[in-house]
Amino acid sequence: MDRQISYVVVMGVSGSGKTEIARRVAKATRSQWLDADDHHPIENVEHMRSGKPLTDDMRWPWLAAVADAARAQADIRASDLCSDTVFIACSALKQSYRDFLCRKLNPATFVFLDGTRDVIQTRLESRVGHFMPSALLDSQLAVLEPPGPDENCVTVSIDAPIDTVVATVTERLKASENSSPSFVKENTAGKPVFQGEDT
């Protein structure tokens, strides 16, 4: 019998915690994961390192490479993993980017890590060893199109300890699976609101 692979894209601007949260949730659910940043060509990395935001022309080949890597990873499930889900840490800032990933990775669910500029800026300034400078945050916030009610998405506030965010993401994903075809939008400080995809 063919395995039904599903994909979960943990999305948000730089500094929202995509990589760490995707890694931790994947570990908690015994799933595979990958970091989209690892699939940037060197030209993209140097462009961002110099303080310049990526253009759409630079993002499309990168997103295609991320989708290819996710599909390849899904084909090689390690024996100690019990899940058929692949988690992907990827900014996916625009709806057009998410639509592209949905066409390449089906079915796909998104987890939007939502936070204020102040919270994210503080985290970026304390981060070391990453090619994305904190000066690019405003350009990412300007490009960001938060997922709408017609997108298969769980929204989680990052203004909480990381263990709380990880637990909330895990719980909300489980709830969204159980409530299909509806999905859940969740804030760690509030109660979940169920919304139908047809609204």
Side-chain angles (χ1 to χ4, degrees):
M1 180 182 294
D2 291 338
R3 292 160 52 213
Q4 175 60 59
I5 305 298
S6 62
Y7 301 90
V8 176
V9 181
V10 181
M11 60 159 289
V13 299
S14 181
S16 59
K18 301 182 294 295
T19 299
E20 185 65 8
I21 290 168
R23 183 186 69 80
R24 290 197 188 196
V25 176
K27 181 178 181 180
T29 57
R30 296 175 64 190
S31 304
Q32 298 188 87
W33 80 284
L34 64 87
D35 189 348
D37 281 350
D38 293 338
H39 300 276
H40 274 298
I42 188 62
E43 294 82 5
N44 284 15
V45 172
E46 292 305 319
H47 193 83
M48 288 183 283
R49 199 190 304 277
S50 68
K52 301 173 185 175
L54 297 180
T55 65
D56 277 357
D57 287 343
M58 303 174 84
R59 288 183 185 274
W60 292 122
W62 166 62
L63 290 170
V66 170
D68 288 345
R71 288 198 304 268
Q73 191 149 331
D75 290 338
I76 315 172
R77 185 176 70 169
S79 60
D80 62 336
L81 300 178
C82 66
S83 171
D84 286 325
T85 300
V86 177
F87 285 83
I88 306 160
C90 180
S91 54
L93 298 176
K94 292 184 180 180
Q95 182 172 355
S96 58
Y97 304 159
R98 299 190 291 273
D99 290 345
F100 176 86
L101 291 173
C102 284
R103 290 193 296 272
K104 296 286 187 178
L105 305 172
N106 183 36
T109 301
F110 293 86
V111 175
F112 174 39
L113 301 179
D114 191 20
T116 66
R117 183 189 183 284
D118 288 345
V119 167
I120 297 171
Q121 181 72 33
T122 299
R123 295 183 181 186
L124 280 173
E125 290 173 351
S126 64
R127 186 168 69 173
V128 295
H130 196 278
F131 57 78
M132 172 75 79
S134 60
L136 285 179
L137 175 58
D138 286 336
S139 68
Q140 289 218 327
L141 290 171
V143 169
L144 174 65
E145 297 172 0
D150 60 336
E151 295 184 72
N152 187 25
C153 180
V154 173
T155 298
V156 177
S157 170
I158 62 169
D159 192 8
I162 191 165
D163 288 344
T164 300
V165 177
V166 169
T168 302
V169 169
T170 304
E171 292 167 4
R172 292 304 100 211
L173 285 172
K174 185 175 181 179
S176 68
E177 290 174 1
N178 294 337
S179 64
S180 183
S182 295
F183 62 90
V184 182
K185 298 190 76 175
E186 169 72 14
N187 184 297
T188 56
K191 296 180 180 180
V193 178
F194 292 83
Q195 299 181 333
E197 287 186 320
D198 293 330
T199 58

